[in-house]
Amino acid sequence: MAERVMRTVRDLRRSNRSLLLRRLYFDGPLSRQDLIDTTTLSAASVSNVVGDLIGDGLVAEVGSVGSEGGRPRILLQVDCPRWHAIGVDVGETRVLVELFTLDLAVLAREEYPLPDGCRDVAAVVDRIDSGLRGVLAAGAVRQETIIGVGVGVPGVVAHSPELGAVVHGQTIGWDAVPLERLLREAGGVRAHLPLYIDNGATTLGQAEMWFGAGRGARDAVIALIGSGVGACVVVDGAPYRGTGRSAGEWGHTTVQVGGRSCRCGARGCLEAYVGAEAVIERFREVGPAGSPSGPPAEASEEGALAAILAAQERGEPAAAAVLEETAVYLGVGVANLINLFNPERIALGGWAGLLLGARLLPRVREVAREYALRHAFANVELSLCQLGPDAVARGAATLPVAGFLAAGSRPPRNQSAS
Amino acid sequence: MAERVMRTVRDLRRSNRSLLLRRLYFDGPLSRQDLIDTTTLSAASVSNVVGDLIGDGLVAEVGSVGSEGGRPRILLQVDCPRWHAIGVDVGETRVLVELFTLDLAVLAREEYPLPDGCRDVAAVVDRIDSGLRGVLAAGAVRQETIIGVGVGVPGVVAHSPELGAVVHGQTIGWDAVPLERLLREAGGVRAHLPLYIDNGATTLGQAEMWFGAGRGARDAVIALIGSGVGACVVVDGAPYRGTGRSAGEWGHTTVQVGGRSCRCGARGCLEAYVGAEAVIERFREVGPAGSPSGPPAEASEEGALAAILAAQERGEPAAAAVLEETAVYLGVGVANLINLFNPERIALGGWAGLLLGARLLPRVREVAREYALRHAFANVELSLCQLGPDAVARGAATLPVAGFLAAGSRPPRNQSAS
DNA sequence: CCGACTTATTTCGCGTTGTGATTTAACTCG
DNA sequence: CGAGTTAAATCACAACGCGAAATAAGTCGG
């Protein structure tokens, strides 16, 4: 019963504009002829639609490809430098605002620390608003070229008809914060500028799908391991969110009935074994308390995890044991993803995932092979994420870009003197 | 980069035909006015499209609804008795062929036992072919009214451009059987009659989604427990299959690292705890070997499982312990589904699932609440399947019906004298 | 029983779309 | 420089959905 977005003959054109625009964006540059061959559109229609796109400044002709006795094909490309998107990463310790061109190259960035976490909503909104104005000024970019703003937040994002996007962030103490309304009231986001708010892990996954380890895959899982453990499940090219938008809670799937206690209250969660916090704790339990080889209490989790890896490097058996166990649980978790989702690709990311993965990936793959069904395992590619843990803002910026490509249109004109 | 099925203005009409047809099929009877109100189509278009549908014999006017001072609304309905679909269930012990009207009411059925399992492909094809001819004769139905044939098989179904649907069935010894080609060659399926072949668990899930426990849900999981354990994951109203079409292998997700051995070769699989075979085996291990209260070795798995339930009923501690453990593992498995998929609905089915669920569902729900994240658990409805374990054929018949509704058209005319 | 009123459905003219056929443009090669 | 070749644009046409207007089919009050 999916409501069609396709009724009038005009929507048909929009759909075809979008089709050509997407192909040019992801696979460009291409000639009109390439478009004719690879889409089912007729030559006449391609010519018409491309003409419109060029007229609207979305596409530009760029050089031509040599011919062998005929008229050369003119190459077309989306005019990426002309349009801009903004991505915002609301982290637990800082707000990052970045200005991108349409192909998501960074033009400007502003970063604001959040000393007391982001519990104070007004402060966060204020930082985001300053950041927006800041990057616009720094990039010397006109508002009219901005196609939209994407925001990645650490929480579940629901949508209500009146308030727009509403954020529920258990870890940062946000309870039903109407972030969309607050941001619009702050004024930095023009009234009719598209504003997309989504979970930060999802936007990171989206970034990996477009530009990183997930590139080209239809069905994939981006597994994110930080202090906690989550996953961005991509089905048919788009993140799958579930009914309450909280799908992908990989970290709280049980891999050991009656196992270690997890901070979620349950026992035997995957996160209780492979999350950074859990790995560090397990090492503390097993490892030498006041060992001279490593600082007994690292200031940061990053440091502590690095210390464990270093200890293993030096051949300390306690570290090796903890990491081996971690690899086994991680492999089991990955196998579960393989068996349930049968994805084309699985990428391990998050700061801890990258740190651990660099060392443990071969062993994780080995364990996953043991636990996953043969057929499904044979069809999956397991790798590390490629964009680093700071791609949340870039991922957030993919949201307006995706909207832009789907609509196949320039941003709505801002009405003067209304 | 999904290829649009929408290019010309004619496809637009097809899409709108399909939209109205689907609404009438699932929510009918409805008046034209209802359609105008609920589908963004204009009155003029609704009138035109409905006129076409009536002209093609797909829709019929059926009575009218009382008015209050104006012209009464004429009620429309899909002309279900006029069209037919066939569903085939290829089970491990028998082939079942059923003839349905478009609303999937049974008109005729033929059942053929398969004494030696369905290893002999030719025998199976022969039985299906006989069944097709049989139900057509028994139902006294003309070939032209058949919109298609759906077949549910116990295996993974791949699609190749040359051979059509190819079945890989590990449990029945089928290795790349080109069932589509074989069936077409047998002749019972006319050349241009749509033929859909899919995994039996998936078709069963589809049946539950349309007419059973999943009715009305967009995102759901139909969990099937028989001798083995599987699941049909429904995303956005359609079964999710994954890259290699083997998604939903819930039974082989690990819930106990280093736990019981599973027949898949891994350890700690969910199936090794809650599958019928596993439950029976666990009872044999724990229970009194030659207890006078129950037959020591039941002939069938159904009987053995029923005996365990009966033993618990009588207060035997061994049976109670095994079933309690089963409920815990089942609850954990369900919680994992909830956390990963965040579905709207989870239905427990399969012959063993229904048998166990009738007794254990409250306890399973309790355990799932403990292990699942609060938010996701609060949004899920956990119930038993409603159609029984024999709805595979009906589910298979939904495949051609879905195709019929999606295309919005009558089956292609069979060309005479070609 | 009639006429005003109300509501449902169909009809009509228009603007927009994609298409195939045709025309025009742009280049290579001898 | 002209024949040959391929790319892109143009044109006439048929089909579509839409808003407005016309028509159909009732109710209700008298």
Side-chain angles (χ1 to χ4, degrees):
Chain A
M1 271 316 71
E3 290 296 327
R4 277 261 173 282
V5 212
M6 175 77 44
R7 1 184 212 322
T8 159
V9 77
R10 218 150 178 163
D11 299 311
L12 187 54
R13 172 67 78 124
R14 234 202 305 281
S15 160
N16 284 336
R17 274 176 72 110
S18 170
L19 177 62
L20 296 190
L21 200 56
R22 288 194 330 259
R23 253 185 90 43
L24 287 172
Y25 183 81
F26 288 107
D27 305 328
L30 295 169
S31 68
R32 290 176 180 78
Q33 211 55 226
D34 295 329
L35 293 172
I36 294 166
D37 296 341
T38 54
T39 66
T40 54
L41 260 62
S42 71
S45 295
V46 168
S47 180
N48 278 332
V49 174
V50 167
D52 283 3
L53 289 172
I54 292 177
D56 288 345
L58 304 187
V59 164
E61 298 190 335
V62 43
S64 60
V65 72
S67 73
E68 299 171 2
R71 177 176 176 172
R73 302 177 172 192
I74 300 171
L75 289 176
L76 304 165
Q77 210 173 19
V78 178
D79 196 351
C80 289
R82 183 166 178 169
W83 306 98
H84 305 94
I86 295 179
V88 179
D89 174 6
V90 179
E92 301 193 13
T93 59
R94 58 114 178 67
V95 168
L96 173 63
V97 180
E98 290 185 306
L99 173 69
F100 300 91
T101 50
L102 197 55
D103 49 350
L104 299 185
V106 183
L107 286 186
R109 60 185 292 165
E110 301 252 325
E111 191 167 358
Y112 303 89
L114 291 171
D116 57 338
C118 46
R119 304 193 152 267
D120 182 357
V121 176
V124 172
V125 170
D126 189 59
R127 302 274 194 297
I128 295 176
D129 205 60
S130 305
L132 291 176
R133 296 173 200 275
V135 293
L136 283 177
V141 155
R142 286 177 307 131
Q143 283 256 5
E144 296 83 54
T145 67
I146 307 284
I147 61 164
V149 177
V151 183
V153 297
V156 174
V157 181
H159 286 263
S160 92
E162 313 92 45
L163 300 172
V166 175
V167 183
H168 307 270
Q170 59 282 51
T171 61
I172 52 171
W174 284 19
D175 182 28
V177 171
L179 187 59
E180 178 164 1
R181 190 168 59 75
L182 295 174
L183 279 176
R184 292 224 184 261
E185 284 170 358
V189 180
R190 284 280 191 88
H192 286 288
L193 196 60
L195 176 59
Y196 301 83
I197 301 178
D198 206 337
N199 175 273
T202 306
T203 67
L204 184 59
Q206 181 97 315
E208 286 288 341
M209 290 305 294
W210 281 31
F211 305 105
R215 187 157 201 163
R218 278 171 56 95
D219 299 320
V221 181
I222 311 294
L224 299 170
I225 305 177
S227 181
V229 173
C232 173
V233 177
V234 176
V235 165
D236 223 32
Y240 170 73
R241 296 181 168 86
T243 302
R245 306 200 122 228
S246 72
E249 283 289 358
W250 185 47
H252 299 290
T253 56
T254 304
V255 290
Q256 189 85 64
V257 172
R260 289 179 67 88
S261 298
C262 178
R263 55 181 175 177
C264 77
R267 299 172 69 93
C269 291
L270 181 64
E271 181 169 310
Y273 293 91
V274 306
E277 198 179 306
V279 172
I280 294 165
E281 195 181 307
R282 275 168 45 229
F283 181 66
R284 290 236 173 83
E285 289 171 8
V286 181
S291 158
S293 52
E298 279 287 338
S300 69
E301 283 191 333
E302 282 88 342
L305 194 58
I308 297 174
L309 286 163
Q312 182 220 30
E313 192 88 358
R314 286 191 310 270
E316 289 192 18
V322 165
L323 288 178
E324 161 63 14
E325 198 186 42
T326 303
V328 169
Y329 278 90
L330 201 45
V332 165
V334 167
N336 285 352
L337 292 177
I338 292 174
N339 285 338
L340 273 178
F341 292 105
N342 184 210
E344 201 173 334
R345 198 97 42 97
I346 293 182
L348 243 52
W351 67 264
L354 292 172
L355 220 51
L356 291 168
R359 184 75 51 87
L360 305 179
L361 192 60
R363 179 67 180 132
V364 170
R365 190 179 283 122
E366 209 173 293
V367 175
R369 187 192 358 258
E370 282 173 36
Y371 280 86
L373 293 174
R374 220 173 48 244
H375 178 69
F377 182 84
N379 282 71
V380 74
E381 226 174 282
L382 175 62
S383 65
L384 295 184
C385 283
Q386 294 172 359
L387 304 181
D390 285 329
V392 171
R394 170 176 295 197
T398 64
L399 299 173
V401 173
F404 176 82
L405 294 176
S409 65
R410 53 196 311 175
R413 296 240 129 272
N414 27 346
Q415 56 277 46
S416 51
S418 76
Chain B
M1 274 318 74
E3 289 297 327
R4 278 261 173 283
V5 212
M6 174 78 45
R7 0 186 213 324
T8 157
V9 78
R10 216 149 178 165
D11 299 313
L12 188 54
R13 171 67 80 126
R14 235 201 307 280
S15 160
N16 284 336
R17 273 176 73 111
S18 170
L19 177 62
L20 296 190
L21 199 57
R22 286 193 332 258
R23 256 188 84 48
L24 287 172
Y25 182 82
F26 288 107
D27 306 328
L30 295 169
S31 68
R32 290 178 180 77
Q33 210 57 226
D34 295 330
L35 293 172
I36 293 166
D37 296 342
T38 54
T39 68
T40 58
L41 256 63
S42 72
S45 294
V46 168
S47 181
N48 278 332
V49 174
V50 167
D52 283 3
L53 289 172
I54 291 177
D56 287 346
L58 304 187
V59 164
E61 300 192 333
V62 40
S64 61
V65 71
S67 74
E68 299 172 1
R71 177 174 176 175
R73 302 178 170 193
I74 300 171
L75 288 178
L76 304 166
Q77 210 173 18
V78 177
D79 196 351
C80 289
R82 183 165 179 172
W83 305 99
H84 306 93
I86 295 179
V88 179
D89 174 4
V90 179
E92 301 193 13
T93 60
R94 58 113 177 68
V95 169
L96 174 63
V97 180
E98 290 185 307
L99 173 68
F100 301 91
T101 50
L102 197 56
D103 49 351
L104 298 185
V106 183
L107 285 187
R109 60 184 294 166
E110 301 252 325
E111 192 168 358
Y112 302 89
L114 290 171
D116 58 337
C118 45
R119 303 193 153 269
D120 182 358
V121 176
V124 173
V125 170
D126 188 59
R127 302 274 194 296
I128 296 175
D129 206 59
S130 306
L132 293 176
R133 297 172 199 274
V135 293
L136 282 178
V141 156
R142 285 177 307 131
Q143 283 256 7
E144 296 83 55
T145 67
I146 307 283
I147 61 165
V149 177
V151 182
V153 297
V156 174
V157 180
H159 286 263
S160 92
E162 313 91 48
L163 299 172
V166 175
V167 182
H168 307 270
Q170 58 283 50
T171 60
I172 52 170
W174 285 18
D175 183 28
V177 171
L179 188 57
E180 179 164 1
R181 189 169 58 74
L182 294 174
L183 279 176
R184 292 226 185 261
E185 284 171 358
V189 180
R190 284 279 191 90
H192 286 287
L193 196 60
L195 176 59
Y196 300 82
I197 300 177
D198 206 338
N199 175 273
T202 306
T203 67
L204 184 59
Q206 182 97 314
E208 286 288 340
M209 290 305 294
W210 280 30
F211 304 106
R215 187 156 201 163
R218 278 170 56 95
D219 300 319
V221 180
I222 311 295
L224 299 172
I225 305 177
S227 182
V229 174
C232 173
V233 177
V234 176
V235 165
D236 224 30
Y240 171 72
R241 298 181 167 87
T243 303
R245 305 200 123 227
S246 72
E249 283 289 357
W250 184 46
H252 298 291
T253 57
T254 304
V255 290
Q256 189 85 64
V257 172
R260 290 179 68 87
S261 298
C262 177
R263 55 181 174 177
C264 78
R267 299 172 68 93
C269 291
L270 181 63
E271 183 170 308
Y273 294 92
V274 306
E277 196 180 307
V279 172
I280 294 165
E281 194 182 310
R282 276 168 43 230
F283 181 66
R284 290 238 173 81
E285 289 171 10
V286 182
S291 159
S293 52
E298 280 287 338
S300 68
E301 284 192 329
E302 283 87 343
L305 195 59
I308 298 175
L309 286 163
Q312 182 220 30
E313 192 89 358
R314 286 191 310 269
E316 288 190 18
V322 165
L323 289 177
E324 160 62 15
E325 198 187 43
T326 303
V328 169
Y329 278 89
L330 200 45
V332 165
V334 167
N336 285 353
L337 291 176
I338 293 173
N339 285 338
L340 272 178
F341 292 105
N342 183 209
E344 201 172 333
R345 199 94 43 94
I346 293 182
L348 243 52
W351 67 264
L354 292 172
L355 218 52
L356 291 169
R359 184 75 51 86
L360 304 179
L361 192 61
R363 179 66 180 133
V364 170
R365 191 179 281 121
E366 210 174 292
V367 174
R369 185 189 2 258
E370 282 172 38
Y371 280 87
L373 293 173
R374 220 172 49 245
H375 178 68
F377 182 83
N379 283 70
V380 75
E381 226 174 283
L382 176 60
S383 66
L384 295 185
C385 283
Q386 294 170 0
L387 304 181
D390 284 330
V392 171
R394 170 175 294 198
T398 65
L399 299 174
V401 173
F404 176 82
L405 295 176
S409 65
R410 56 196 310 176
R413 294 239 131 274
N414 27 346
Q415 55 277 47
S416 50
S418 76

